Amino acid sequence: MEVTRYDEAPPYEAPKHHECFGLRLQGFEVSKTRNFWMGLSHFLPGGGAFEDATPVEKVYLVLEGEVTVITPEGEITLKRMDSCYLAPNESRSIENRTNSPASMLVAIPYPEPRDV
């Protein structure tokens, strides 16, 4: 078992994000996950992620506050304990349109399983 304590989780810079503070909870330098990694994104009011797409799928789970996820098909506001799935290569942007911070759990697979 590998445990990451919240107060010991290392920060990471999420590409194309703004007014966002990311913490690595599992994977990469934190644990030996082979197929996916998990992060926690704290978005300040007005924060978010610019439009982008990646070749891997993603799952978002809002833990506190709310964020709006915008895709070419439309937009949806996720509130506490709401989640969404984004398919590989699905373009999205993220906005915190509120005056309160929002926290979102992010689970993303590695492009290829890792040898650990």
Side-chain angles (χ1 to χ4, degrees), residues 40-58:
L40 178 63
S41 296
H42 295 296
F43 294 103
L44 291 175
F50 298 110
E51 185 176 356
D52 195 22
T54 61
V56 295
E57 62 190 355
K58 297 181 230 16

Side-chain angles (χ1 to χ4, degrees), residues 14 39 50 53 60-61 71 75 80 82 100-102 104:
F50 298 110
Y60 297 152
L61 169 66
T71 68
E75 62 181 57
R80 187 175 184 277
D82 290 343
S100 298
M104 185 171 75

Side-chain angles (χ1 to χ4, degrees), residues 3-17:
V3 175
T4 304
R5 302 280 182 206
Y6 179 77
D7 60 351
E8 297 172 357
Y12 72 96
E13 188 96 16
K16 300 185 181 181
H17 287 54

Side-chain angles (χ1 to χ4, degrees), residues 32-107:
K32 296 178 186 141
T33 61
R34 287 184 37 102
N35 297 300
F36 71 96
W37 64 273
M38 189 180 312
L40 178 63
S41 296
H42 295 296
F43 294 103
L44 291 175
F50 298 110
E51 185 176 356
D52 195 22
T54 61
V56 295
E57 62 190 355
K58 297 181 230 16
V59 173
Y60 297 152
L61 169 66
V62 174
L63 300 174
E64 292 295 333
E66 59 184 61
V67 296
T68 301
V69 180
I70 302 110
T71 68
E73 289 76 36
E75 62 181 57
I76 188 74
T77 298
L78 301 175
K79 297 182 180 185
R80 187 175 184 277
M81 301 310 293
D82 290 343
S83 63
C84 73
Y85 163 79
L86 294 164
N89 300 308
E90 184 174 6
S91 178
R92 64 83 186 109
S93 59
I94 300 168
E95 296 178 3
N96 177 357
R97 296 176 176 169
T98 74
N99 287 333
S100 298
S103 297
M104 185 171 75
L105 189 67
V106 179

Side-chain angles (χ1 to χ4, degrees), residues 13-34:
E13 188 96 16
K16 300 185 181 181
H17 287 54
H18 57 96
E19 303 299 319
C20 177
F21 182 75
L23 292 172
R24 181 95 58 216
L25 301 179
Q26 292 293 326
F28 288 105
E29 75 280 15
V30 176
S31 68
K32 296 178 186 141
T33 61
R34 287 184 37 102

